[in-house]
mmCIF file of all heavy atoms in Angstrom:
data_model
loop_
_atom_site.group_PDB
_atom_site.id
_atom_site.type_symbol
_atom_site.label_atom_id
_atom_site.label_comp_id
_atom_site.label_asym_id
_atom_site.label_seq_id
_atom_site.Cartn_x
_atom_site.Cartn_y
_atom_site.Cartn_z
ATOM 1 N N THR C 588 -31.797 12.927 -50.953
ATOM 2 C CA THR C 588 -33.167 12.489 -50.769
ATOM 3 C C THR C 588 -33.318 11.406 -49.731
ATOM 4 O O THR C 588 -34.304 10.631 -49.748
ATOM 5 C CB THR C 588 -33.747 11.961 -52.094
ATOM 6 O OG1 THR C 588 -33.014 10.788 -52.473
ATOM 7 C CG2 THR C 588 -33.664 13.005 -53.221
ATOM 8 N N THR C 589 -32.364 11.260 -48.813
ATOM 9 C CA THR C 589 -32.418 10.132 -47.874
ATOM 10 C C THR C 589 -33.303 10.445 -46.670
ATOM 11 O O THR C 589 -33.569 9.551 -45.872
ATOM 12 C CB THR C 589 -31.015 9.851 -47.333
ATOM 13 O OG1 THR C 589 -30.541 11.058 -46.704
ATOM 14 C CG2 THR C 589 -30.051 9.448 -48.430
ATOM 15 N N GLY C 590 -33.697 11.702 -46.535
ATOM 16 C CA GLY C 590 -34.478 12.054 -45.351
ATOM 17 C C GLY C 590 -33.630 12.342 -44.104
ATOM 18 O O GLY C 590 -34.144 12.749 -43.051
ATOM 19 N N ILE C 591 -32.314 12.161 -44.242
ATOM 20 C CA ILE C 591 -31.416 12.452 -43.100
ATOM 21 C C ILE C 591 -31.164 13.962 -43.075
ATOM 22 O O ILE C 591 -30.611 14.505 -44.032
ATOM 23 C CB ILE C 591 -30.094 11.654 -43.244
ATOM 24 C CG1 ILE C 591 -30.368 10.183 -43.285
ATOM 25 C CG2 ILE C 591 -29.157 12.011 -42.086
ATOM 26 C CD1 ILE C 591 -29.155 9.274 -43.547
ATOM 27 N N PRO C 592 -31.593 14.636 -42.006
ATOM 28 C CA PRO C 592 -31.612 16.119 -42.031
ATOM 29 C C PRO C 592 -30.255 16.774 -41.698
ATOM 30 O O PRO C 592 -30.175 17.699 -40.926
ATOM 31 C CB PRO C 592 -32.639 16.460 -40.944
ATOM 32 C CG PRO C 592 -32.505 15.352 -39.971
ATOM 33 C CD PRO C 592 -32.140 14.120 -40.740
ATOM 34 N N PHE C 593 -29.203 16.257 -42.272
ATOM 35 C CA PHE C 593 -27.878 16.827 -42.136
ATOM 36 C C PHE C 593 -27.232 16.796 -43.503
ATOM 37 O O PHE C 593 -27.460 15.870 -44.281
ATOM 38 C CB PHE C 593 -27.013 16.057 -41.145
ATOM 39 C CG PHE C 593 -27.549 16.049 -39.751
ATOM 40 C CD1 PHE C 593 -28.452 15.083 -39.331
ATOM 41 C CD2 PHE C 593 -27.165 17.032 -38.831
ATOM 42 C CE1 PHE C 593 -28.976 15.079 -38.058
ATOM 43 C CE2 PHE C 593 -27.678 17.041 -37.545
ATOM 44 C CZ PHE C 593 -28.598 16.048 -37.145
ATOM 45 N N SER C 594 -26.358 17.789 -43.766
ATOM 46 C CA SER C 594 -25.702 17.790 -45.065
ATOM 47 C C SER C 594 -24.470 16.895 -45.031
ATOM 48 O O SER C 594 -23.743 16.859 -44.014
ATOM 49 C CB SER C 594 -25.274 19.227 -45.382
ATOM 50 O OG SER C 594 -24.368 19.193 -46.457
ATOM 51 N N SER C 595 -24.233 16.175 -46.105
ATOM 52 C CA SER C 595 -23.015 15.379 -46.137
ATOM 53 C C SER C 595 -21.968 16.071 -47.068
ATOM 54 O O SER C 595 -20.958 15.462 -47.395
ATOM 55 C CB SER C 595 -23.302 13.964 -46.671
ATOM 56 O OG SER C 595 -23.822 14.018 -47.979
ATOM 57 N N LYS C 596 -22.255 17.332 -47.390
ATOM 58 C CA LYS C 596 -21.299 18.057 -48.256
ATOM 59 C C LYS C 596 -19.937 18.178 -47.540
ATOM 60 O O LYS C 596 -19.872 18.525 -46.365
ATOM 61 C CB LYS C 596 -21.884 19.463 -48.531
ATOM 62 C CG LYS C 596 -21.125 20.229 -49.554
ATOM 63 C CD LYS C 596 -21.903 21.465 -49.975
ATOM 64 C CE LYS C 596 -21.216 22.294 -51.014
ATOM 65 N NZ LYS C 596 -19.877 22.663 -50.770
ATOM 66 N N ASP C 597 -18.893 17.860 -48.280
ATOM 67 C CA ASP C 597 -17.537 17.951 -47.740
ATOM 68 C C ASP C 597 -17.310 17.069 -46.512
ATOM 69 O O ASP C 597 -16.451 17.370 -45.691
ATOM 70 C CB ASP C 597 -17.149 19.407 -47.420
ATOM 71 C CG ASP C 597 -17.128 20.253 -48.657
ATOM 72 O OD1 ASP C 597 -16.854 19.696 -49.765
ATOM 73 O OD2 ASP C 597 -17.460 21.452 -48.581
ATOM 74 N N LEU C 598 -18.106 16.065 -46.365
ATOM 75 C CA LEU C 598 -17.935 15.165 -45.231
ATOM 76 C C LEU C 598 -17.391 13.804 -45.771
ATOM 77 O O LEU C 598 -18.000 13.228 -46.658
ATOM 78 C CB LEU C 598 -19.250 14.949 -44.505
ATOM 79 C CG LEU C 598 -19.140 14.005 -43.309
ATOM 80 C CD1 LEU C 598 -19.696 14.671 -42.069
ATOM 81 C CD2 LEU C 598 -19.917 12.706 -43.572
ATOM 82 N N TRP C 599 -16.285 13.354 -45.216
ATOM 83 C CA TRP C 599 -15.660 12.115 -45.705
ATOM 84 C C TRP C 599 -15.342 11.285 -44.485
ATOM 85 O O TRP C 599 -14.781 11.776 -43.511
ATOM 86 C CB TRP C 599 -14.396 12.452 -46.503
ATOM 87 C CG TRP C 599 -14.645 13.465 -47.575
ATOM 88 C CD1 TRP C 599 -14.444 14.806 -47.503
ATOM 89 C CD2 TRP C 599 -15.233 13.207 -48.864
ATOM 90 N NE1 TRP C 599 -14.848 15.400 -48.658
ATOM 91 C CE2 TRP C 599 -15.331 14.435 -49.522
ATOM 92 C CE3 TRP C 599 -15.664 12.055 -49.513
ATOM 93 C CZ2 TRP C 599 -15.835 14.586 -50.808
ATOM 94 C CZ3 TRP C 599 -16.171 12.188 -50.811
ATOM 95 C CH2 TRP C 599 -16.252 13.431 -51.432
ATOM 96 N N VAL C 600 -15.662 9.980 -44.564
ATOM 97 C CA VAL C 600 -15.551 9.145 -43.363
ATOM 98 C C VAL C 600 -14.626 7.934 -43.604
ATOM 99 O O VAL C 600 -14.213 7.672 -44.720
ATOM 100 C CB VAL C 600 -16.941 8.638 -42.898
ATOM 101 C CG1 VAL C 600 -17.890 9.800 -42.687
ATOM 102 C CG2 VAL C 600 -17.511 7.654 -43.911
ATOM 103 N N HIS C 601 -14.313 7.306 -42.469
ATOM 104 C CA HIS C 601 -13.403 6.146 -42.537
ATOM 105 C C HIS C 601 -14.182 4.860 -42.770
ATOM 106 O O HIS C 601 -15.382 4.780 -42.506
ATOM 107 C CB HIS C 601 -12.640 6.006 -41.241
ATOM 108 C CG HIS C 601 -11.807 7.219 -40.894
ATOM 109 N ND1 HIS C 601 -11.277 7.414 -39.644
ATOM 110 C CD2 HIS C 601 -11.431 8.279 -41.625
ATOM 111 C CE1 HIS C 601 -10.580 8.569 -39.653
ATOM 112 N NE2 HIS C 601 -10.684 9.098 -40.846
ATOM 113 N N CYS C 602 -13.477 3.847 -43.189
ATOM 114 C CA CYS C 602 -14.117 2.549 -43.340
ATOM 115 C C CYS C 602 -13.229 1.496 -42.661
ATOM 116 O O CYS C 602 -12.072 1.757 -42.392
ATOM 117 C CB CYS C 602 -14.360 2.226 -44.798
ATOM 118 S SG CYS C 602 -12.888 1.691 -45.624
ATOM 119 N N PRO C 603 -13.778 0.316 -42.350
ATOM 120 C CA PRO C 603 -15.135 -0.118 -42.701
ATOM 121 C C PRO C 603 -16.153 0.324 -41.646
ATOM 122 O O PRO C 603 -15.823 0.664 -40.553
ATOM 123 C CB PRO C 603 -14.998 -1.635 -42.672
ATOM 124 C CG PRO C 603 -13.974 -1.890 -41.622
ATOM 125 C CD PRO C 603 -12.993 -0.740 -41.713
ATOM 126 N N VAL C 604 -17.422 0.293 -42.106
ATOM 127 C CA VAL C 604 -18.547 0.296 -41.154
ATOM 128 C C VAL C 604 -18.763 -1.204 -40.849
ATOM 129 O O VAL C 604 -18.950 -1.996 -41.763
ATOM 130 C CB VAL C 604 -19.804 0.900 -41.780
ATOM 131 C CG1 VAL C 604 -20.976 0.824 -40.808
ATOM 132 C CG2 VAL C 604 -19.539 2.345 -42.221
ATOM 133 N N GLU C 605 -18.726 -1.537 -39.567
ATOM 134 C CA GLU C 605 -18.898 -2.938 -39.205
ATOM 135 C C GLU C 605 -20.359 -3.333 -39.182
ATOM 136 O O GLU C 605 -21.176 -2.609 -38.593
ATOM 137 C CB GLU C 605 -18.357 -3.178 -37.790
ATOM 138 C CG GLU C 605 -16.894 -3.532 -37.733
ATOM 139 C CD GLU C 605 -16.559 -4.009 -36.350
ATOM 140 O OE1 GLU C 605 -16.645 -3.234 -35.406
ATOM 141 O OE2 GLU C 605 -16.204 -5.195 -36.224
ATOM 142 N N VAL C 606 -20.670 -4.451 -39.789
ATOM 143 C CA VAL C 606 -22.051 -4.942 -39.855
ATOM 144 C C VAL C 606 -22.045 -6.320 -39.242
ATOM 145 O O VAL C 606 -21.409 -7.237 -39.751
ATOM 146 C CB VAL C 606 -22.515 -4.993 -41.328
ATOM 147 C CG1 VAL C 606 -23.985 -5.316 -41.409
ATOM 148 C CG2 VAL C 606 -22.220 -3.681 -42.039
ATOM 149 N N ARG C 607 -22.737 -6.473 -38.113
ATOM 150 C CA ARG C 607 -22.717 -7.737 -37.395
ATOM 151 C C ARG C 607 -24.134 -8.100 -36.933
ATOM 152 O O ARG C 607 -25.060 -7.307 -37.028
ATOM 153 C CB ARG C 607 -21.771 -7.654 -36.197
ATOM 154 C CG ARG C 607 -20.313 -7.484 -36.652
ATOM 155 C CD ARG C 607 -19.375 -7.453 -35.482
ATOM 156 N NE ARG C 607 -19.426 -6.153 -34.791
ATOM 157 C CZ ARG C 607 -18.638 -5.837 -33.763
ATOM 158 N NH1 ARG C 607 -17.772 -6.742 -33.306
ATOM 159 N NH2 ARG C 607 -18.688 -4.657 -33.189
ATOM 160 N N VAL C 608 -24.267 -9.311 -36.408
ATOM 161 C CA VAL C 608 -25.616 -9.797 -36.032
ATOM 162 C C VAL C 608 -25.581 -10.615 -34.745
ATOM 163 O O VAL C 608 -24.514 -11.098 -34.333
ATOM 164 C CB VAL C 608 -26.197 -10.709 -37.150
ATOM 165 C CG1 VAL C 608 -26.483 -9.945 -38.424
ATOM 166 C CG2 VAL C 608 -25.249 -11.885 -37.448
ATOM 167 N N SER C 609 -26.732 -10.765 -34.147
ATOM 168 C CA SER C 609 -26.905 -11.742 -33.082
ATOM 169 C C SER C 609 -28.393 -12.131 -33.026
ATOM 170 O O SER C 609 -29.209 -11.488 -33.661
ATOM 171 C CB SER C 609 -26.493 -11.169 -31.702
ATOM 172 O OG SER C 609 -27.441 -10.239 -31.260
ATOM 173 N N ASP C 610 -28.684 -13.187 -32.271
ATOM 174 C CA ASP C 610 -30.081 -13.501 -32.046
ATOM 175 C C ASP C 610 -30.251 -13.897 -30.566
ATOM 176 O O ASP C 610 -29.893 -15.008 -30.170
ATOM 177 C CB ASP C 610 -30.555 -14.662 -32.949
ATOM 178 C CG ASP C 610 -32.061 -14.822 -32.900
ATOM 179 O OD1 ASP C 610 -32.684 -14.286 -31.949
ATOM 180 O OD2 ASP C 610 -32.640 -15.475 -33.784
ATOM 181 N N THR C 611 -30.753 -12.922 -29.789
ATOM 182 C CA THR C 611 -30.859 -13.188 -28.367
ATOM 183 C C THR C 611 -32.164 -13.851 -27.990
ATOM 184 O O THR C 611 -32.391 -14.150 -26.844
ATOM 185 C CB THR C 611 -30.769 -11.821 -27.566
ATOM 186 O OG1 THR C 611 -31.752 -10.938 -28.133
ATOM 187 C CG2 THR C 611 -29.407 -11.183 -27.684
ATOM 188 N N THR C 612 -32.994 -14.169 -29.011
ATOM 189 C CA THR C 612 -34.260 -14.844 -28.683
ATOM 190 C C THR C 612 -34.061 -16.358 -28.555
ATOM 191 O O THR C 612 -34.958 -17.074 -28.124
ATOM 192 C CB THR C 612 -35.345 -14.626 -29.799
ATOM 193 O OG1 THR C 612 -34.895 -15.231 -31.001
ATOM 194 C CG2 THR C 612 -35.530 -13.123 -30.036
ATOM 195 N N LEU C 613 -32.866 -16.858 -28.937
ATOM 196 C CA LEU C 613 -32.643 -18.294 -28.848
ATOM 197 C C LEU C 613 -32.293 -18.738 -27.420
ATOM 198 O O LEU C 613 -32.323 -19.920 -27.096
ATOM 199 C CB LEU C 613 -31.463 -18.678 -29.751
ATOM 200 C CG LEU C 613 -31.572 -18.213 -31.201
ATOM 201 C CD1 LEU C 613 -30.309 -18.506 -31.979
ATOM 202 C CD2 LEU C 613 -32.791 -18.907 -31.850
#
Side-chain angles (χ1 to χ4, degrees):
T588 65
T589 58
I591 300 174
F593 296 89
S594 166
S595 62
K596 188 167 180 310
D597 297 329
L598 179 126
W599 308 96
V600 304
H601 300 165
C602 78
V604 178
E605 271 192 295
V606 187
R607 294 183 284 183
V608 293
S609 73
D610 190 344
T611 53
T612 66
L613 306 173

